[in-house]
Amino acid sequence: MKIGRYFAPSPSETLAVTKLLASRRRYAARIEMLEDTERHHRIFVLSDGWGYSFKDLPNGLRQIVDFVLPGDFFGLESIFLNGTGLGFASVTPVETAPISPQSLIAMSRQWPRLGGAILWSVSLESSIAGERLIGLGRRSAAARVAHLLLELSVRLDFIGQGSPSGFLCPLTQHDLANALGLTAIHVNRVLRNLRQLGLVVFRNSEVEFLDRAGLVEFAHFDPAYLGQGRAISRKIFNS
């Protein structure tokens, strides 16, 4: 059965997800919640708040791999692999639901549509990673920043936390720098330039699109790589 953007789980599927996410844990903001060695063979769903996956390098620098938003999974690769060397840190206070790979596989077998939603999530995480790699390799610093802000806007819109005019954003310029291969000073300069161009303002933890269409053109942003499946998994697992 095709799973569309507005897929509504049945009562039995809803109950299955509720049971899967029954055990939840709260964590404070700005802490390294999980090191790679602590999460082997464990999967997590972020129920509330913002976090990110990261890799610390021997030279002391940190690369943020992806920002994790409500309804997103972290650690799905542990079903088949021993880990990717990534840690997970909170940006805001967060709530997570730990899941064993065995329980997730069992649920997918019993309710294939939910398994399809999870596969969508995996596919789209890969798509986002590929687009981020393209940005790091070939986009200008300004285009990288603009592209990421637009991406976050679309992802938040899927879960009802964004709008065409902007969104609340708890990220710092340092976070953006660690995700985009820049320095915080460079990010500050880019944001100032984008504001002067009348495209976007990012201040006081809020992103305001002054000219969204202009920003889309500036970044050559095509949301096709985000698809509709991310909305599926988030609408199901963000509960």
Side-chain angles (χ1 to χ4, degrees):
M1 179 182 295
K2 181 179 179 181
I3 301 175
R5 178 173 181 178
Y6 300 105
F7 159 63
S10 67
S12 61
E13 290 168 333
T14 300
L15 181 60
V17 171
T18 299
K19 290 181 178 179
L20 189 72
L21 306 180
S23 176
R24 303 195 183 192
R25 300 174 185 174
R26 299 287 307 182
Y27 296 89
R30 295 292 171 183
I31 63 170
E32 295 181 11
M33 296 165 44
L34 301 166
E35 296 291 344
D36 182 63
T37 55
E38 296 174 328
R39 67 170 187 85
H40 284 327
H41 310 299
R42 290 196 294 171
I43 301 165
F44 297 83
V45 174
L46 192 67
S47 303
D48 185 48
W50 287 49
Y52 62 79
S53 57
F54 69 92
K55 174 75 173 183
D56 284 336
L57 304 178
N59 60 6
L61 298 178
R62 170 169 293 187
Q63 177 65 47
I64 291 178
V65 177
D66 192 17
F67 294 106
V68 183
L69 304 178
D72 282 348
F73 286 88
F74 175 72
L76 277 173
E77 76 283 349
S78 67
I79 293 178
F80 303 106
L81 305 174
N82 287 328
T84 59
L86 300 181
F88 180 84
S90 61
V91 174
T92 66
V94 298
E95 181 179 76
T96 68
I99 305 170
S100 71
Q102 294 78 12
S103 62
L104 196 64
I105 292 172
M107 185 194 72
S108 299
R109 287 174 175 169
Q110 188 168 0
W111 289 277
R113 293 201 306 167
L114 296 181
I118 295 168
L119 288 176
W120 266 110
S121 180
V122 173
S123 298
L124 285 166
E125 285 178 11
S126 176
S127 180
I128 288 174
E131 191 69 25
R132 193 70 49 78
L133 179 60
I134 293 169
L136 289 171
R138 293 301 180 187
R139 291 191 181 102
S140 68
R144 283 183 232 172
V145 172
H147 200 278
L148 178 57
L149 294 180
L150 288 165
E151 177 189 292
L152 290 172
S153 174
V154 173
R155 292 172 63 180
L156 288 167
D157 182 59
F158 282 153
I159 57 173
Q161 295 185 14
S163 75
S165 61
F167 57 94
L168 296 177
C169 183
L171 303 178
T172 65
Q173 293 181 8
H174 193 67
D175 294 328
L176 296 179
N178 284 343
L180 299 174
L182 304 170
T183 65
I185 293 175
H186 200 169
V187 169
N188 181 273
R189 187 182 306 119
V190 165
L191 289 172
R192 184 171 63 250
N193 291 341
L194 292 175
R195 182 178 67 248
Q196 292 171 347
L197 290 171
L199 297 175
V200 64
V201 173
F202 182 16
R203 61 188 172 196
N204 300 325
S205 299
E206 184 172 359
V207 172
E208 178 186 1
F209 296 121
L210 304 176
D211 180 2
R212 187 186 181 98
L215 192 67
V216 167
E217 182 178 359
F218 178 87
H220 299 288
F221 180 74
D222 180 355
Y225 74 97
L226 294 170
Q228 296 181 337
R230 181 168 289 272
I232 300 165
S233 62
R234 283 184 175 178
K235 287 179 182 297
I236 296 171
F237 293 100
N238 181 27
S239 58

